[in-house]
Amino acid sequence: MAEKPTKKYITSEELKVHNKPEDLWISIQGKIYDVTNWSKEHPGGDIPLLALAGNDVTDAFIAYHPGTTWHLLDKFFNGYYLKDYQVSEMSKDYRRLHNDLSKMGLFEKKGHGVIYIFISIFIMFTLCVLGVLYSDSMLVHLCCGALLGMAWIQSAYLGHDSGHYQIMATPGYNKVAQILTGNCLTGISMAWWKWTHNAHHILCNSLDNDPDLQHIPVFAVSTKFFHNMTSVFYGRKMDFDPVARFLVSYQHMTYYPVMVVARINLYVQTFLLLLNPNRKIINRGLNIMGIMVFWTWYPLLVSCLPTWEERILFVLSSFVVTAFQHIQFTLNHFSADVYVGQPKGNDWVEKQTFGSIDINVASYMDWLFGGLQFQLEHHLFPRLPRCNLRKVSPVVKDLCKKHNMPYRSLTFWEANISTLKTLRDAALQARDLTNPVPKNLLWEAVNTHG
């Protein structure tokens, strides 16, 4: 009778050695998987795998993958098990809660919100075009610009939804929805969004890894940026030079004006990524075609306005409206706790909790915030359709209370005040031209680690 093969074990310290692109191992529920060759083919990109390489990634894997994907892991199993595999009490409860939500079918129940939003986008876009083409009133044209801005906001929410979970009947239709709502209608590439957004979710509020916090020379949410920190995501140093010091010194004053023109940066980032031959992009051609559609209809629409003054005001009015969404994105994270480095093993859930802030609004305002007002719930359960985020909010609050984790839910006004305070505190430190490195260690500790 053949002997049962003996299991092979490695320790967590030995696993950490395999954290490079050419040698990439991860652990899921104590089993070790070699995903070195798979990382470039990973639908979510290689950034999430590289970010957590050499660690146990069970919580993150559960959060981002449906149960139907578990069987795909077998082909990556390298025969090793984690000898000192342990699960924190927080992670145990998180996994139990995720399983309960799955049994309730909340990850599949998407409601009819997507259909209503598609209809509303079509109506707003149609009214915008008709107003530009058939009205001579400047006021009407300004309102059309505002309508276009609102259509962009709702399109961005749909692109976000389709990127996190399948809003259409098949993956193919889902991809079409992404390209239409993102590339064709808003001019922002879904490829760029996935690249940055996946990193943001996995490495939420990591100063050197989360691209959503790396806005030097314009903004710095922590004085740690004053040390010429290197961005792991972009692979370059974020120099805190005299220009950055000057801009950061007044960032609490320039915050809202910058949000008005923040969309221009997204256009630039889209082109920089799609035209970069050194970076592998899934469906690059499709993304470029979608962007070309946008830069065909949008300039044509603007050119139909009678004067250059009206054209500028039309664009500005649409940007002013979309500034609300850019502000919302920053309210969810700018004043939350930050850290340097990568989450390790079982602390992924804790990092999401400490780095996210909810915006407390009435249910009738959910359409305007696109579900992102439940930022913590979304970060813990990114595949959960937005219509179910309000339902799970109470149990998430209980989870945080049980484990003494922060559950920050601020009103829209309070979130703005908190964000401005964070920016102002860093700005005052940056103004000390005789002190390149902050000496106020108490302030640094409070602002960086809460």
Side-chain angles (χ1 to χ4, degrees), residues 83-122:
K83 185 176 183 179
D84 51 350
Y85 174 65
Q86 294 181 336
V87 184
S88 68
E89 292 302 315
M90 177 73 170
S91 287
K92 288 180 181 178
D93 283 344
Y94 168 72
R95 296 174 192 181
R96 190 178 300 114
L97 176 57
H98 191 283
N99 186 54
D100 290 342
L101 299 181
S102 181
K103 288 181 178 178
M104 293 167 63
L106 293 185
F107 291 103
E108 285 71 43
K109 296 176 181 177
K110 301 178 176 65
H112 301 290
V114 170
I115 297 175
Y116 300 146
I117 295 170
F118 267 123
I119 294 173
S120 69
I121 292 172
F122 176 78

Side-chain angles (χ1 to χ4, degrees), residues 358-372:
D358 281 9
I359 310 298
N360 184 14
V361 297
S363 58
Y364 66 84
M365 294 293 288
D366 285 354
W367 68 274
L368 181 59
F369 286 81
L372 299 185

Side-chain angles (χ1 to χ4, degrees), residues 421-433:
K421 183 181 183 301
T422 297
L423 295 174
R424 182 178 180 276
D425 288 344
L428 294 179
Q429 293 284 326
R431 290 181 186 182
D432 187 359
L433 299 179

Side-chain angles (χ1 to χ4, degrees), residues 198-217:
N198 286 341
H200 162 67
H201 265 270
I202 293 293
L203 299 149
C204 179
N205 273 34
S206 168
L207 294 176
D208 55 340
N209 285 273
D210 185 353
D212 283 11
L213 293 187
Q214 297 173 2
H215 302 297
I216 293 292

Side-chain angles (χ1 to χ4, degrees), residues 146-347:
L147 273 176
L148 181 59
M150 184 57 67
W152 281 343
I153 288 178
Q154 295 301 324
S155 294
Y157 288 148
L158 278 186
H160 178 266
D161 291 345
S162 63
H164 276 293
Y165 58 89
Q166 190 169 301
I167 66 172
M168 305 301 285
T170 66
Y173 288 136
N174 202 61
K175 184 185 297 182
V176 170
Q178 291 176 353
I179 297 298
L180 286 176
T181 56
N183 299 50
C184 297
L185 190 55
T186 69
I188 300 170
S189 169
M190 287 301 298
W192 172 84
W193 177 84
K194 287 183 179 180
W195 179 49
T196 59
H197 199 67
N198 286 341
H200 162 67
H201 265 270
I202 293 293
L203 299 149
C204 179
N205 273 34
S206 168
L207 294 176
D208 55 340
N209 285 273
D210 185 353
D212 283 11
L213 293 187
Q214 297 173 2
H215 302 297
I216 293 292
V218 182
F219 296 133
V221 298
S222 169
T223 58
K224 288 190 178 293
F225 282 119
F226 300 175
H227 299 265
N228 298 323
M229 184 180 294
T230 297
S231 168
V232 176
F233 181 80
Y234 291 110
R236 58 175 172 80
K237 183 176 288 187
M238 296 177 285
D239 292 321
F240 192 68
D241 53 24
V243 174
R245 182 185 290 276
F246 173 78
L247 293 175
V248 169
S249 294
Y250 298 95
Q251 61 182 2
H252 55 301
M253 300 178 185
T254 61
Y255 171 65
Y256 292 113
V258 168
M259 291 298 104
V260 172
V261 296
R263 199 166 195 83
I264 297 175
N265 177 57
L266 303 187
Y267 295 148
V268 172
Q269 294 298 326
T270 285
F271 279 108
L272 289 177
L273 178 66
L274 294 182
L275 300 180
N276 184 354
N278 298 321
R279 177 163 292 280
K280 181 178 179 181
I281 301 173
I282 299 176
N283 300 314
R284 183 194 298 266
L286 188 60
N287 274 269
I288 291 176
M289 287 177 59
I291 295 300
M292 290 174 63
V293 169
F294 173 81
W295 288 108
T296 298
W297 73 259
Y298 184 51
L300 283 175
L301 180 65
V302 174
S303 69
C304 291
L305 293 165
T307 65
W308 276 106
E309 289 79 5
E310 287 201 34
R311 293 167 189 166
I312 293 173
L313 289 174
F314 175 85
V315 172
L316 186 59
S317 66
S318 64
F319 280 17
V320 168
V321 172
T322 55
F324 168 82
Q325 192 171 61
H326 299 301
I327 291 170
Q328 179 197 5
F329 293 157
T330 59
L331 298 184
N332 289 138
H333 296 286
F334 267 24
S335 62
D337 294 344
V338 296
Y339 64 101
V340 176
Q342 301 171 336
K344 304 297 181 183
N346 282 319
D347 70 353

Side-chain angles (χ1 to χ4, degrees), residues 432-450:
D432 187 359
L433 299 179
T434 63
N435 181 20
V437 180
K439 292 181 179 179
N440 189 341
L441 298 182
L442 176 60
W443 181 94
E444 175 69 6
V446 171
N447 186 64
T448 304
H449 303 292

